[in-house]
Amino acid sequence: MDLIADARARDADDPLAPRRARYLIPEGVIYLDGNSLGPASHAALAALEVAARQEWAEGLIRSWNAAGWFEMPLALGDRIGRLVGAGAGSVACCDTISVNLYKVLHACLALRPDRRVILAEATSFPTDLYIAEGVCAAAGARLVLAEGPVEAALTDEVAAMLVNHVDYRSGALRDMAGLSAAAQAAGALAVWDLSHSAGALEVALDRDGADFAVGCTYKYLNGGPGAPGFVYAAARHHGSIRQPVSGWWGHARPFAFEPGYAAAEGVKAFLAGTQPVLSMRTLAGALEDWEGVGMAEVRAKSRAMTEAFIGWVEAVCPELELGSPREAAARGSQVSFRHANGYEIMQALIARGVIGDFRAPDVLRFGFAPLYLSFEEVARAVLALREVLASGEWREARFAERGAVT
Amino acid sequence: MDLIADARARDADDPLAPRRARYLIPEGVIYLDGNSLGPASHAALAALEVAARQEWAEGLIRSWNAAGWFEMPLALGDRIGRLVGAGAGSVACCDTISVNLYKVLHACLALRPDRRVILAEATSFPTDLYIAEGVCAAAGARLVLAEGPVEAALTDEVAAMLVNHVDYRSGALRDMAGLSAAAQAAGALAVWDLSHSAGALEVALDRDGADFAVGCTYKYLNGGPGAPGFVYAAARHHGSIRQPVSGWWGHARPFAFEPGYAAAEGVKAFLAGTQPVLSMRTLAGALEDWEGVGMAEVRAKSRAMTEAFIGWVEAVCPELELGSPREAAARGSQVSFRHANGYEIMQALIARGVIGDFRAPDVLRFGFAPLYLSFEEVARAVLALREVLASGEWREARFAERGAVT
């Protein structure tokens, strides 16, 4: 099997291929970790430059009005909304995903005052569970972790069911429409964590009946390191969002300097404090790269790419065991392979310029971002992986030391 | 009285004068609003450039370790700590001041489980009260607003007394040592909002017995628009901080991906989600400008400058009424003057390039940042103010329209 020839034929047919030129991918790097931190684009860096040197340095305090800084959380929210199937006015961009999830789960408990359980999958991204635990402690509720299918654990005590749309470890994709309906049939609210799906596949929050959602913008949306999170509320909840992190920006009249809090209408009620303008402006630039992109074509390329990757790895690296769903429709835009020495193998691969990441205990995780990856790069990554395994170079001592994160 | 000659003589004696060259103050602007948003410095913009083009664009995910992104909240916290009299390991830089105050007030209620009142001054910056209201609603506590001296309202129900170190409107400076002791004598915890004092005067959190504090870095610390907030915990509380916004970064073992939350030791327990790296790096650059600066000399210049400003304004603008304490020791680094047409007067002044701000209902507010302001600028601002008043130009219709903020 000639992987490179196969890949080049696919690249020649790829309608998204010209978009690669928008991104700054370092020389010698094949970047399969955009699901952790997306790369910089020319548009993102240009927007940052304008924000820093014109809006801040020249405009100073005047830029809050003149440069539209005040409008950013909802303006960016609308642009993100288009990518996740949310109508205008349903998404706000602010704070971190942790803080946003905290606010959303409180809002859910307030909407279901007679129910005191938050239900989540035991395999959720851990920080989601930490936050849910914190909300429960603060609100006198109880966190229930489902070991099996989460919908099977729905009871009439459940106020909110929290689901990770794509599992961070396996890449398994959950059925948003089906699970939202199941939650609602049980009287609960459906809360979605879109960290690993926003920008990677077709998300349809409005259509699929989500109640609330949170997501992050530094993964597939390429907003920059630690770029602000976002929060979605279905239109039916816009009149009734109550959450306790009630800062000035979520006030109905933020400039009246009233002593008492009055929540703004709509998703704006999730805003709290002053947002990091430079990070938000960078995200605004990054979102320009999504203009004219249809999520259907992103998803089509992602499916083709993950499928090709699995096929190629299984053909040339029989030592590895697939850790993701085999069926493309059941998968997000990442693929996991398992190996007892996954950590060392990933370190050796990174040393060759192929950047993926490792998740304990044994998962080699590869993310596929259709806007800037070519099939040829994916094929070259597979060949590098084969070399790492065949040469045994991962056994070298320098790859064994565990750092904080990769 | 020759204001300019007087001012130039003072500038000639100013040991901080050479620091002005570090900052980018736009041509034609006299900037008396650094208490709302500090200006950009060459060091801040250079640090941002490195963070964006090297750490992000080149380093990608590797920069979390290689560039020390993980260390930022506590490393920046220590550098801020030096400026506010807090020992190493007592300050974390993260989130917004609103979110940090939310966490701190919860931590106070957890430390005083038998007390359910949060006491604050009725004149507090409004968002502090909104947040306190949210915490009370979430935790089953009650917010009491003191109309007179806050310490007079201490009772055995008060868990935390929240005080703004410098009043945002009048600039009045509160006695940290005395009020902290009074709170503690009543069994309460003393919580300080340093928004208008950090970087403006000598703050001595450890020495003056504060229990907790929050502050912002985009005012006198010049960290950039919406730069992250900071949070302080006295060393005696480091083993017992419990707050419900319990995200992964505040976990004792953040990379173990454990399903249950375990709070980190010390002030780190206040961390929650992933922080905006570009904004934090900009702040790191801005803090370089504080190296070698003693807060005593900052305070000395600030006192001299506010005193000169009050004297000059009262000499040439008798229409205005002083809205700040007359005694320098009772004042922060800002001065307020009152006039029924304050809004229009400030707009006309801004049109002349002198940027201060307006606070309802009638306050013209001027901030004096010793690192980049000269006495001559202050004198020229006073002359411009006299022109605005003498000419009556503020009566022009174009100055009457109220924008969102100035």
Side-chain angles (χ1 to χ4, degrees):
Chain A
M1 178 162 63
D2 183 348
L3 273 58
I4 301 297
D6 182 5
R8 285 182 177 160
R10 292 166 186 258
D11 283 330
D13 279 343
D14 173 15
L16 291 173
R19 299 222 157 231
R20 159 65 173 248
R22 294 168 171 259
Y23 296 90
L24 292 92
I25 310 290
E27 275 287 315
V29 164
I30 296 177
Y31 197 57
L32 304 181
D33 209 10
N35 53 324
S36 266
L37 173 63
S41 76
H42 297 287
L45 294 181
L48 174 58
E49 180 101 358
V50 168
R53 295 192 177 266
Q54 292 174 31
E55 296 175 5
W56 179 24
E58 283 292 318
L60 290 164
I61 192 71
R62 299 169 291 198
S63 289
W64 276 105
N65 289 326
W69 288 350
F70 276 121
E71 314 306 324
M72 284 192 305
L74 274 82
L76 288 176
D78 281 349
R79 292 169 70 186
I80 295 166
R82 183 185 78 78
L83 304 176
V84 294
S90 298
V91 174
C93 178
C94 59
D95 293 324
T96 64
I97 188 166
S98 296
V99 170
N100 288 331
L101 182 59
Y102 183 86
K103 295 181 284 197
V104 160
L105 293 177
H106 267 290
C108 289
L109 289 170
L111 284 167
R112 295 288 181 274
D114 52 334
R115 292 166 170 241
R116 293 290 96 178
V117 166
I118 292 172
L119 171 64
E121 298 170 287
T123 53
S124 296
F125 192 63
T127 196
D128 286 6
L129 303 182
Y130 305 157
I131 289 289
E133 200 180 316
V135 171
C136 287
R142 190 160 53 89
L143 175 62
V144 171
L145 298 186
E147 296 290 342
V150 64
E151 66 276 22
L154 283 162
T155 68
D156 61 8
E157 288 183 288
V158 176
M161 182 179 86
L162 167 64
V163 187
N164 289 190
H165 195 201
V166 170
D167 183 274
Y168 78 102
R169 209 161 0 198
S170 72
L173 172 64
R174 300 282 185 265
D175 170 15
M176 185 179 282
L179 291 177
S180 295
Q184 289 150 7
L189 296 157
V191 179
W192 292 88
D193 179 340
L194 308 179
S195 293
H196 292 271
S197 62
L201 49 89
E202 293 165 284
V203 182
L205 288 166
D206 285 342
R207 186 199 70 196
D208 288 345
D211 288 293
F212 295 97
V214 294
C216 93
T217 64
Y218 49 76
K219 297 177 185 284
Y220 291 106
L221 295 176
N222 311 316
F230 66 89
V231 52
Y232 160 86
R236 62 186 169 280
H237 300 304
H238 284 189
S240 46
I241 298 166
R242 295 296 173 269
Q243 61 86 14
V245 193
S246 41
W248 74 275
W249 213 333
H251 196 286
R253 295 166 294 280
F255 301 109
F257 288 77
E258 300 168 13
Y261 183 75
E265 287 295 297
V267 75
K268 214 171 168 182
F270 280 124
L271 300 183
T274 303
Q275 293 300 307
V277 170
L278 300 176
S279 288
M280 292 195 99
R281 274 292 190 235
T282 307
L283 170 61
L287 291 174
E288 288 172 23
D289 296 311
W290 289 89
E291 279 167 26
V293 175
M295 290 311 299
E297 61 183 344
V298 169
R299 175 65 169 157
K301 181 174 173 185
S302 156
R303 285 175 64 147
M305 215 165 227
T306 52
E307 212 147 39
F309 179 74
I310 292 172
W312 291 335
V313 171
E314 292 192 328
V316 303
C317 306
E319 304 91 326
L320 301 178
E321 181 196 347
L322 182 63
S324 294
R326 185 167 298 279
E327 199 202 337
R331 218 169 39 223
S333 202
Q334 71 195 60
V335 173
S336 295
F337 275 98
R338 305 175 64 176
H339 188 289
N341 296 101
Y343 180 82
E344 294 83 353
I345 292 167
M346 183 53 78
Q347 293 305 306
L349 197 58
I350 290 171
R352 282 175 172 263
V354 177
I355 302 180
D357 61 24
F358 171 78
R359 285 293 176 265
D362 60 358
V363 172
L364 294 134
R365 196 177 69 157
F366 303 92
F368 299 86
L371 292 201
Y372 54 82
L373 273 181
S374 70
F375 285 90
E376 182 170 341
E377 285 178 299
V378 175
R380 292 196 182 280
V382 174
L383 295 177
L385 183 57
R386 184 185 65 184
E387 282 300 305
V388 165
L389 290 164
S391 69
E393 67 198 55
W394 58 267
R395 296 177 198 273
E396 291 173 28
R398 67 187 171 115
F399 296 131
E401 196 193 332
R402 300 222 170 183
V405 79
T406 58
Chain B
M1 180 162 63
D2 183 349
L3 274 57
I4 301 297
D6 182 7
R8 284 183 179 162
R10 291 166 187 259
D11 283 330
D13 279 342
D14 173 14
L16 291 173
R19 299 221 156 232
R20 160 66 173 246
R22 293 168 173 260
Y23 295 91
L24 292 91
I25 310 290
E27 275 288 314
V29 164
I30 296 176
Y31 196 56
L32 304 180
D33 209 9
N35 53 325
S36 265
L37 173 62
S41 75
H42 297 287
L45 294 181
L48 174 58
E49 179 101 359
V50 168
R53 296 194 176 264
Q54 292 174 30
E55 295 175 6
W56 179 22
E58 283 291 318
L60 290 164
I61 191 72
R62 298 169 291 197
S63 290
W64 276 106
N65 289 325
W69 288 351
F70 276 121
E71 314 307 325
M72 283 192 305
L74 274 83
L76 289 176
D78 281 349
R79 292 169 69 186
I80 295 165
R82 182 184 79 77
L83 304 175
V84 294
S90 296
V91 175
C93 178
C94 58
D95 294 324
T96 64
I97 188 166
S98 297
V99 170
N100 288 331
L101 182 59
Y102 183 86
K103 294 181 285 195
V104 160
L105 292 177
H106 267 290
C108 289
L109 290 169
L111 284 167
R112 294 288 181 275
D114 51 335
R115 292 167 170 241
R116 292 291 96 179
V117 167
I118 291 172
L119 171 64
E121 298 170 286
T123 53
S124 296
F125 193 63
T127 197
D128 286 5
L129 303 182
Y130 305 157
I131 289 290
E133 199 180 315
V135 171
C136 287
R142 189 161 54 89
L143 175 62
V144 172
L145 297 186
E147 296 290 341
V150 65
E151 66 275 23
L154 282 162
T155 68
D156 61 7
E157 288 184 290
V158 176
M161 182 179 86
L162 167 63
V163 187
N164 288 191
H165 194 200
V166 170
D167 184 273
Y168 78 103
R169 209 162 356 200
S170 71
L173 172 64
R174 299 283 185 264
D175 170 15
M176 185 178 284
L179 291 177
S180 295
Q184 289 151 7
L189 296 157
V191 178
W192 291 88
D193 179 339
L194 308 180
S195 293
H196 292 272
S197 62
L201 49 89
E202 294 166 283
V203 182
L205 288 166
D206 285 342
R207 185 198 70 196
D208 289 345
D211 288 293
F212 295 97
V214 296
C216 94
T217 64
Y218 49 76
K219 297 177 184 283
Y220 292 105
L221 295 177
N222 310 315
F230 65 89
V231 52
Y232 160 86
R236 61 187 170 279
H237 300 304
H238 285 190
S240 47
I241 298 167
R242 296 296 173 267
Q243 60 86 13
V245 193
S246 42
W248 73 276
W249 212 333
H251 196 287
R253 295 166 294 280
F255 301 109
F257 288 78
E258 298 168 15
Y261 182 74
E265 286 296 297
V267 75
K268 214 172 169 182
F270 280 124
L271 299 183
T274 303
Q275 294 301 306
V277 170
L278 300 176
S279 288
M280 292 195 99
R281 273 292 191 233
T282 308
L283 170 60
L287 291 175
E288 288 172 23
D289 296 311
W290 289 89
E291 281 167 24
V293 175
M295 291 310 298
E297 62 183 343
V298 169
R299 176 64 169 156
K301 180 173 174 184
S302 155
R303 285 175 64 148
M305 214 164 228
T306 54
E307 215 148 34
F309 179 74
I310 292 173
W312 291 335
V313 170
E314 293 193 328
V316 303
C317 306
E319 304 91 325
L320 301 178
E321 181 196 346
L322 182 63
S324 294
R326 185 167 297 280
E327 198 203 338
R331 219 168 39 222
S333 201
Q334 70 194 62
V335 173
S336 295
F337 275 97
R338 307 175 63 177
H339 188 288
N341 295 101
Y343 180 83
E344 294 82 355
I345 293 166
M346 183 53 78
Q347 294 306 306
L349 197 59
I350 291 171
R352 283 176 172 262
V354 178
I355 303 181
D357 60 23
F358 171 78
R359 285 292 176 264
D362 61 358
V363 172
L364 294 135
R365 196 177 67 157
F366 302 92
F368 299 87
L371 291 201
Y372 52 82
L373 273 181
S374 69
F375 285 90
E376 182 170 343
E377 285 178 299
V378 175
R380 291 195 184 282
V382 173
L383 295 177
L385 183 57
R386 185 185 65 183
E387 282 301 305
V388 165
L389 290 164
S391 69
E393 68 199 54
W394 58 268
R395 295 176 199 275
E396 290 173 29
R398 68 187 171 115
F399 296 130
E401 195 193 330
R402 300 223 171 183
V405 80
T406 58

Short mmCIF file of all heavy atoms in Angstrom, two decimals, chain B residues 342-363:
data_model
loop_
_atom_site.label_atom_id
_atom_site.label_comp_id
_atom_site.label_asym_id
_atom_site.label_seq_id
_atom_site.Cartn_x
_atom_site.Cartn_y
_atom_site.Cartn_z
N GLY B 342 -21.41 67.60 35.09
CA GLY B 342 -20.16 66.85 35.02
C GLY B 342 -20.01 66.02 33.76
O GLY B 342 -18.92 65.94 33.18
N TYR B 343 -21.10 65.42 33.33
CA TYR B 343 -21.00 64.57 32.14
C TYR B 343 -20.55 65.37 30.93
O TYR B 343 -19.58 65.00 30.25
CB TYR B 343 -22.35 63.88 31.86
CG TYR B 343 -22.26 63.01 30.63
CD1 TYR B 343 -21.74 61.72 30.72
CD2 TYR B 343 -22.64 63.49 29.37
CE1 TYR B 343 -21.59 60.93 29.60
CE2 TYR B 343 -22.50 62.70 28.24
CZ TYR B 343 -21.99 61.43 28.36
OH TYR B 343 -21.83 60.65 27.25
N GLU B 344 -21.22 66.48 30.66
CA GLU B 344 -20.89 67.28 29.49
C GLU B 344 -19.49 67.89 29.60
O GLU B 344 -18.76 67.98 28.61
CB GLU B 344 -21.93 68.41 29.31
CG GLU B 344 -23.33 67.92 28.97
CD GLU B 344 -24.15 67.48 30.18
OE1 GLU B 344 -23.61 67.44 31.31
OE2 GLU B 344 -25.34 67.14 29.98
N ILE B 345 -19.13 68.30 30.81
CA ILE B 345 -17.80 68.88 31.00
C ILE B 345 -16.72 67.84 30.70
O ILE B 345 -15.73 68.13 30.02
CB ILE B 345 -17.67 69.42 32.44
CG1 ILE B 345 -18.60 70.64 32.60
CG2 ILE B 345 -16.23 69.80 32.77
CD1 ILE B 345 -18.83 71.06 34.05
N MET B 346 -16.93 66.62 31.16
CA MET B 346 -15.94 65.57 30.89
C MET B 346 -15.85 65.27 29.40
O MET B 346 -14.77 65.07 28.86
CB MET B 346 -16.26 64.30 31.69
CG MET B 346 -15.23 63.18 31.52
SD MET B 346 -13.50 63.71 31.85
CE MET B 346 -13.49 63.70 33.65
N GLN B 347 -17.00 65.26 28.72
CA GLN B 347 -16.96 65.01 27.27
C GLN B 347 -16.17 66.10 26.55
O GLN B 347 -15.38 65.82 25.64
CB GLN B 347 -18.39 64.94 26.70
CG GLN B 347 -19.19 63.75 27.20
CD GLN B 347 -18.48 62.44 26.97
OE1 GLN B 347 -18.08 62.13 25.85
NE2 GLN B 347 -18.28 61.68 28.03
N ALA B 348 -16.39 67.35 26.96
CA ALA B 348 -15.67 68.45 26.31
C ALA B 348 -14.18 68.38 26.61
O ALA B 348 -13.33 68.68 25.76
CB ALA B 348 -16.25 69.78 26.80
N LEU B 349 -13.85 67.94 27.82
CA LEU B 349 -12.45 67.81 28.20
C LEU B 349 -11.77 66.70 27.39
O LEU B 349 -10.64 66.86 26.91
CB LEU B 349 -12.38 67.50 29.70
CG LEU B 349 -11.05 67.70 30.42
CD1 LEU B 349 -10.56 69.14 30.30
CD2 LEU B 349 -11.21 67.32 31.90
N ILE B 350 -12.50 65.60 27.23
CA ILE B 350 -11.95 64.49 26.44
C ILE B 350 -11.73 64.94 24.99
O ILE B 350 -10.73 64.58 24.37
CB ILE B 350 -12.89 63.26 26.51
CG1 ILE B 350 -12.85 62.66 27.93
CG2 ILE B 350 -12.50 62.21 25.47
CD1 ILE B 350 -13.89 61.59 28.20
N ALA B 351 -12.64 65.78 24.49
CA ALA B 351 -12.47 66.28 23.12
C ALA B 351 -11.19 67.11 22.99
O ALA B 351 -10.62 67.22 21.90
CB ALA B 351 -13.69 67.11 22.71
N ARG B 352 -10.73 67.65 24.10
CA ARG B 352 -9.46 68.38 24.10
C ARG B 352 -8.27 67.48 24.38
O ARG B 352 -7.14 67.96 24.53
CB ARG B 352 -9.49 69.49 25.16
CG ARG B 352 -10.30 70.72 24.76
CD ARG B 352 -10.34 71.72 25.92
NE ARG B 352 -10.95 72.99 25.51
CZ ARG B 352 -10.23 74.07 25.16
NH1 ARG B 352 -8.91 74.04 25.17
NH2 ARG B 352 -10.84 75.18 24.80
N GLY B 353 -8.50 66.19 24.48
CA GLY B 353 -7.39 65.26 24.67
C GLY B 353 -7.05 64.96 26.12
O GLY B 353 -6.10 64.24 26.41
N VAL B 354 -7.83 65.52 27.03
CA VAL B 354 -7.60 65.22 28.46
C VAL B 354 -8.62 64.16 28.87
O VAL B 354 -9.82 64.45 28.96
CB VAL B 354 -7.75 66.48 29.33
CG1 VAL B 354 -7.56 66.12 30.81
CG2 VAL B 354 -6.72 67.53 28.91
N ILE B 355 -8.15 62.95 29.10
CA ILE B 355 -9.07 61.83 29.33
C ILE B 355 -9.17 61.52 30.82
O ILE B 355 -8.22 61.06 31.45
CB ILE B 355 -8.61 60.58 28.55
CG1 ILE B 355 -8.52 60.92 27.06
CG2 ILE B 355 -9.58 59.43 28.81
CD1 ILE B 355 -8.11 59.76 26.20
N GLY B 356 -10.33 61.81 31.38
CA GLY B 356 -10.69 61.34 32.71
C GLY B 356 -11.97 60.55 32.52
O GLY B 356 -12.29 60.13 31.41
N ASP B 357 -12.74 60.36 33.58
CA ASP B 357 -14.05 59.76 33.35
C ASP B 357 -15.11 60.35 34.25
O ASP B 357 -14.83 61.20 35.10
CB ASP B 357 -14.03 58.23 33.37
CG ASP B 357 -13.57 57.63 34.67
OD1 ASP B 357 -13.68 58.30 35.71
OD2 ASP B 357 -13.14 56.46 34.66
N PHE B 358 -16.32 59.94 34.01
CA PHE B 358 -17.48 60.48 34.69
C PHE B 358 -18.19 59.36 35.41
O PHE B 358 -18.32 58.26 34.88
CB PHE B 358 -18.42 61.12 33.66
CG PHE B 358 -19.76 61.51 34.23
CD1 PHE B 358 -19.89 62.67 35.00
CD2 PHE B 358 -20.89 60.72 34.03
CE1 PHE B 358 -21.13 63.01 35.55
CE2 PHE B 358 -22.12 61.06 34.59
CZ PHE B 358 -22.24 62.21 35.34
N ARG B 359 -18.61 59.63 36.64
CA ARG B 359 -19.41 58.64 37.37
C ARG B 359 -20.67 59.33 37.87
O ARG B 359 -20.60 60.40 38.46
CB ARG B 359 -18.61 58.08 38.56
CG ARG B 359 -17.51 57.09 38.16
CD ARG B 359 -18.09 55.79 37.60
NE ARG B 359 -17.07 54.85 37.13
CZ ARG B 359 -16.68 54.76 35.85
NH1 ARG B 359 -17.18 55.55 34.93
NH2 ARG B 359 -15.79 53.86 35.49
N ALA B 360 -21.80 58.70 37.56
CA ALA B 360 -23.10 59.27 37.91
C ALA B 360 -23.16 59.52 39.42
O ALA B 360 -22.56 58.77 40.19
CB ALA B 360 -24.21 58.31 37.49
N PRO B 361 -23.86 60.55 39.88
CA PRO B 361 -24.64 61.46 39.05
C PRO B 361 -23.86 62.69 38.57
O PRO B 361 -24.24 63.28 37.57
CB PRO B 361 -25.76 61.91 40.00
CG PRO B 361 -25.11 61.88 41.36
CD PRO B 361 -24.11 60.76 41.32
N ASP B 362 -22.76 63.04 39.23
CA ASP B 362 -22.17 64.35 38.95
C ASP B 362 -20.66 64.39 39.15
O ASP B 362 -20.08 65.45 39.38
CB ASP B 362 -22.83 65.43 39.84
CG ASP B 362 -22.64 65.15 41.32
OD1 ASP B 362 -22.02 64.12 41.66
OD2 ASP B 362 -23.10 65.96 42.15
N VAL B 363 -20.02 63.23 39.07
CA VAL B 363 -18.61 63.14 39.45
C VAL B 363 -17.67 63.13 38.23
O VAL B 363 -17.78 62.27 37.37
CB VAL B 363 -18.36 61.87 40.31
CG1 VAL B 363 -16.87 61.66 40.53
CG2 VAL B 363 -19.10 61.98 41.63
#
